[in-house]
């Protein structure tokens, strides 16, 4: 008999039918709403014309129906309606803020919501739901730990099975469509490719899967028991590997760990794996669920290992932030590390404290869950927006001289930090430091980010090798701007240096810079702002020869010849000729 029957719901077959109808109606409404959003984006109608509203509705309709699917029949109508409305409102505001803080170009068809808000809001909703549901049912601020364990792990199994069912459903549809397609019937292939069919049917399939798994409550609990038992015996494996890793660090040193560039993510992932597997062994903590002695020992060891892993994460973050400042990824990692610190302290106490086996783990899990939900709400709201905090820190580093203007990542402000970054870039463009202001203005004018970061560009520019031909010199302003020329960073290397010549090609009284690479001659002109920009490329046709021959000819046998074909003026527009070069066939050897 389902849990909902104990909450005043109608018992028996009639009650199951009502529950079935409620879940299918939820899936149908969700599918219809998501299709309407898809259609609005396709044709450019409201709410697509208000991207922040679109983002909020997409997140709310994408996730909030899961609250109804999971809680219908388990909560009375009023608490269910209030909790669903609160969850939908929070999701809408998170989606609104994620879009509103960014700069979305006109006619931009990219996804409105970024991956972090999609991932972390889903995780926060799952945790919050399974903190709130038992508390509402027991009418207490904190329910019995057994209730938290029961609803959360059962829901996790249901979620996995429902997603698997939905995927299998679509695989069967695709298989059926392929079978019909080979005999010339293409109607099913066309049908499943239509958004008006695919989106609602997917939501209906998921809702049906939730209902089917819910009516087989005993089966789900059995699957959960088997899954927990299997996973718990992986705990000694990860505990042994983690202990070996930590024991090896004093001998190998931490330099190799930090050199990976992903050390913080690795150790946090290892800590998360330990936390999950510790809970598979502990389960609800009841004496009748006590695992074997070997597993209890492994659980205590694993509980003590979480703390050094989280400590390493904080160490790595401190080094990176000290060297390069805050970034959105580092702020999110720092929030994860703070939540991990709660687990680390609580699990360490549970591991060493005598008495009932690992009892402090229960309070730790609840406290960490509340903190995790609060952290997600803060990070994806104006309170602690990672992009805003990162912009403030990076600009402060620039202004106090911790980073040189040439090495500062202006593209981060221009393309990766939304409106906060653009506002900071506008302020830097008015800076009293002429170099900073110049580079900020250049970044504002760019339509796409540079392929290399500022430090990478500086390092590669330092390796550019240019040799002026006899009697010629490299203009100082051109040499100072080499770090902006992407194509020279690969063509003008130490083993294949570029040859330089100054020549007034267009007769305007200002010489251009001609650079001969191994396969072409590049021309650069200085604009009215004093910036050198590439204006043309001369390629060698028919007889490329060797790089040495081209360089020698550029230095010794150099001449200018008139173009073979003039430009055309058509309707007031200038058209330039691009001759078709037909090389004679090679002589037989």
């Amino acid at each position: 008999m389902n849990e909902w029957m104990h909450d005043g719901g109608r018992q028996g077959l009639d009650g199951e039918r009502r529950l079935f109808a409620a879940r299918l109606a939820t899936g149908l409404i969700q599918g219809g709403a998501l299709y309407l959003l898809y259609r609005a984006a396709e044709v450019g109608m409201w709410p697509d014309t208000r991207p922040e509203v679109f983002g909020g509705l997409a997140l709310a309709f994408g996730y909030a129906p899961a609250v109804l699917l999971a809680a219908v029949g388990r909560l009375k109508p009023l608490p269910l309606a209030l909790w669903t409305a609160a969850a939908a409102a929070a999701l809408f505001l998170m989606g609104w803020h994620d879009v509103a803080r960014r700069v979305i170009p006109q006619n931009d068809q990219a996804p409105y919501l970024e991956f972090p808000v999609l991932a972390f809001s889903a995780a926060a909703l799952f945790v919050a739901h399974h903190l709130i549901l038992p508390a509402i049912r027991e009418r207490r601020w904190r329910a019995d730990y057994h209730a938290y364990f029961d609803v959360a792990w059962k829901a996790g199994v249901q979620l996995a099975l429902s997603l698997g069912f939905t995927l299998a459903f679509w695989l069967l549809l695709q298989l059926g469509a392929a079978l019909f397609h080979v005999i010339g019937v293409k109607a099913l292939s066309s049908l499943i490719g239509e958004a008006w069919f695919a989106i609602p049917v997917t939501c209906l399939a998921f809702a049906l899967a939730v209902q089917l798994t819910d009516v087989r409550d005993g089966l789900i609990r059995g699957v959960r028991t088997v899954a927990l038992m299997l996973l718990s015996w992986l705990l000694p494996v990860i505990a042994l590997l983690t202990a070996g890793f930590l024991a090896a660090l004093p001998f190998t040193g931490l330099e190799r760990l930090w050199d990976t560039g992903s050390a913080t993510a690795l150790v946090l992932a290892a800590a998360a794996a330990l936390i999950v597997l510790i809970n598979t062994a502990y389960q609800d903590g009841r004496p009748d669920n006590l695992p074997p002695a070997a597993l209890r020992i492994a659980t205590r060891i694993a509980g003590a290992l979480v703390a050094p892993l989280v400590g390493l994460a904080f160490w790595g973050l401190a080094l990176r932030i000290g060297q390069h400042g805050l970034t959105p990824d580092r702020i999110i990692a720092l929030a994860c590390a703070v939540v991990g610190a709660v687990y680390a302290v609580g699990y360490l106490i549970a591991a060493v404290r005598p008495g009932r086996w690992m009892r402090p783990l229960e309070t730790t899990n609840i406290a960490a869950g509340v903190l995790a939900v609060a952290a997600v709400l803060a990070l994806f709201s104006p309170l602690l927006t990672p992009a805003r905090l990162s912009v403030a820190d990076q600009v402060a580093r620039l202004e106090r001289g911790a980073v040189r203007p040439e090495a500062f990542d202006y593209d981060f402000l221009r393309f990766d930090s939304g409106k906060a970054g653009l506002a900071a870039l506008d302020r830097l463009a008015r800076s009293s430091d002429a170099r900073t202001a110049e580079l900020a203005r250049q970044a504002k004018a760019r339509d796409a980010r540079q392929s290399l970061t500022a430090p990478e560009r500086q390092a590669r520019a330092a390796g550019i090798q240019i040799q002026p031909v006899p009697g010629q010199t490299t203009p100082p302003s051109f040499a100072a701007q080499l770090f902006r020329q992407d194509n020279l960073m690969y063509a003008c290397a130490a083993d294949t240096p570029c040859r330089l010549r100054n020549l007034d090609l267009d007769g305007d009284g200002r010489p251009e810079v001609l650079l001969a690479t191994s396969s072409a001659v590049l021309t650069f002109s200085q604009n009215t702002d004093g910036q050198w920009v590439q204006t043309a490329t001369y390629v060698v046709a028919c007889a490329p020869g060797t790089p040495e021959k081209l360089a020698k000819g550029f230095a010794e046998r150099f001449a200018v010849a008139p173009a073979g074909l003039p430009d055309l003026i058509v309707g007031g527009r200038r058209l330039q000729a691009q001759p078709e070069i037909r090389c004679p066939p090679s002589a037989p050897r």
Side-chain angles (χ1 to χ4, degrees):
M1 207 60 75
N2 293 329
E3 295 176 6
W4 68 278
M5 297 177 182
H6 302 291
D7 295 320
R10 292 188 59 182
Q11 301 186 18
L13 184 61
D14 187 45
E16 290 188 4
R17 287 174 177 169
R18 288 177 179 272
L19 193 58
F20 178 78
R23 284 192 168 122
L24 287 192
T26 300
L28 184 62
I29 293 172
Q30 179 189 25
L34 291 179
Y35 169 70
L36 291 176
L37 288 175
Y38 171 85
R39 183 61 180 167
E42 190 177 43
V43 301
M45 60 183 292
W46 191 93
D48 183 69
T49 54
R50 293 287 305 277
E52 64 278 5
V53 176
F54 186 97
L57 291 175
L59 197 63
F61 280 113
Y63 289 157
V67 173
L68 278 174
L69 293 175
V72 65
R74 292 186 171 87
L75 293 178
K76 292 181 179 179
L78 181 58
L80 175 62
L82 292 176
W83 165 226
T84 303
L91 290 166
F92 177 83
L93 293 175
M94 290 171 68
W96 174 294
H97 175 258
D98 184 63
V99 177
R101 69 173 182 81
R102 290 185 280 131
V103 178
I104 299 181
Q106 293 293 328
N107 302 320
D108 183 29
Q109 297 300 316
Y112 289 116
L113 295 171
E114 292 185 334
F115 175 76
V117 74
L118 292 172
F120 283 96
S121 61
L125 181 64
F126 183 89
V127 174
H129 178 73
H130 295 100
L131 287 172
I132 290 174
L133 180 62
I136 293 177
R137 287 168 58 88
E138 297 187 11
R139 298 182 179 180
R140 294 190 294 162
W141 284 105
R142 176 179 170 178
D144 181 71
Y145 186 76
H146 169 76
Y148 290 122
F149 165 80
D150 187 59
V151 298
W153 282 96
K154 179 186 173 184
V157 173
Q158 281 187 281
L159 178 62
L161 292 175
S162 299
L163 291 174
F165 176 88
T166 307
L167 176 61
F169 172 80
W170 269 102
L171 290 175
L172 290 177
L173 278 184
Q174 295 288 349
L175 176 61
L179 289 175
F180 278 102
H181 193 274
V182 297
I183 60 174
V185 179
K186 302 180 181 179
L188 184 56
S189 298
S190 301
L191 178 64
I192 65 177
E194 295 289 341
W196 63 263
F197 174 83
I199 296 175
V201 163
T202 300
C203 295
L204 278 173
F206 183 79
L208 176 62
V210 173
Q211 172 66 16
L212 293 175
T213 55
D214 199 46
V215 298
R216 303 295 182 184
D217 189 64
L219 178 61
I220 295 300
R221 293 180 188 276
V223 172
R224 182 186 68 186
T225 300
V226 173
L228 290 175
M229 185 270 294
L230 291 175
L231 288 173
S232 66
W233 283 103
L234 293 176
L235 180 59
V237 178
I238 187 63
L240 179 62
L241 293 173
T242 303
F245 164 75
L246 293 172
L249 282 180
F251 302 98
T252 62
L254 295 174
E255 290 77 10
R256 291 185 179 181
L257 182 64
W258 306 141
D259 288 344
T260 62
S262 57
T264 299
L266 285 173
V267 294
L268 285 177
L274 282 173
I275 291 168
V276 171
L277 294 178
I278 287 170
N279 281 277
T280 63
Y282 184 79
Q283 298 190 27
D284 59 2
R286 291 185 172 182
D288 55 346
N289 280 334
L290 199 66
L295 203 51
R296 294 201 301 271
I297 295 172
T299 303
R300 286 190 182 274
I301 295 173
L305 293 175
V306 175
L309 289 176
V310 174
L312 283 173
F314 274 111
W315 191 350
L317 282 170
L319 290 176
R320 290 293 182 185
I321 293 172
Q323 293 170 348
H324 308 293
L326 291 175
T327 65
D329 289 343
R330 290 181 192 130
I331 292 174
I332 292 175
L334 184 59
C336 293
V338 170
V339 175
V342 175
Y343 281 111
V345 173
Y347 282 31
L348 182 60
I349 294 173
V352 301
R353 181 178 179 180
R356 183 176 170 183
W357 179 64
M358 298 291 287
R359 180 65 180 274
L361 178 149
E362 299 178 3
T363 302
T364 301
N365 285 345
I366 296 172
V370 173
L371 178 61
V373 173
V376 171
L377 292 175
L379 288 173
F380 298 99
S381 72
L383 185 61
L384 292 177
T385 306
R388 176 173 55 82
L389 297 178
S390 300
V391 167
D393 181 70
Q394 294 291 345
V395 172
R397 284 168 51 83
L398 174 64
E399 291 177 339
R400 69 172 180 262
V403 58
R404 294 181 297 105
E406 293 81 4
F408 185 75
D409 190 0
Y410 298 91
D411 280 354
F412 169 71
L413 302 182
R414 174 66 177 85
F415 300 105
D416 299 329
S417 52
K419 295 176 181 177
L422 287 184
L425 200 60
D426 286 338
R427 184 163 64 85
L428 291 178
R430 301 188 299 270
S431 172
S432 58
D433 183 86
R435 187 64 176 148
T436 297
E438 176 193 0
L439 293 174
R441 286 192 293 269
Q442 292 173 8
K444 286 179 59 178
R446 282 196 288 271
D447 293 327
R449 63 173 45 83
Q450 295 177 329
S451 59
L452 302 173
T453 64
E456 290 172 338
R457 297 179 69 81
Q458 290 291 333
R460 295 202 178 186
I464 295 176
Q465 298 292 323
I466 295 177
Q467 297 177 356
V469 302
Q472 301 281 306
T473 59
T474 303
S477 58
F478 183 79
Q481 297 177 29
L482 285 178
F483 69 94
R484 298 188 193 134
Q485 311 298 341
D486 285 348
N487 47 1
L488 302 187
M489 295 183 182
Y490 302 96
C492 304
D495 55 344
T496 57
C498 294
R499 304 303 300 272
L500 178 143
R501 179 184 289 273
N502 300 310
L503 187 67
D504 184 5
L505 291 174
D506 52 11
D508 64 352
R510 296 187 301 174
E512 280 71 39
V513 168
L514 281 68
L515 283 181
T517 70
S518 60
S519 59
V521 176
L522 314 178
T523 67
F524 296 85
S525 299
Q526 196 172 24
N527 60 24
T528 55
D529 294 329
Q531 307 303 313
W532 288 92
V533 294
Q534 185 175 346
T535 54
T537 301
Y538 293 92
V539 295
V540 179
C542 298
T546 64
E548 292 78 9
K549 290 182 178 180
L550 179 61
K552 183 178 181 180
F554 187 74
E556 299 177 358
R557 298 189 303 277
F558 183 86
V560 176
L565 295 172
D567 293 346
L568 300 179
I569 307 298
V570 179
R573 296 176 179 269
R574 180 181 293 270
L575 306 181
Q576 294 180 327
Q578 297 180 352
E580 293 291 334
I581 300 176
R582 302 183 181 277
C583 299
S586 302
R589 297 182 180 179

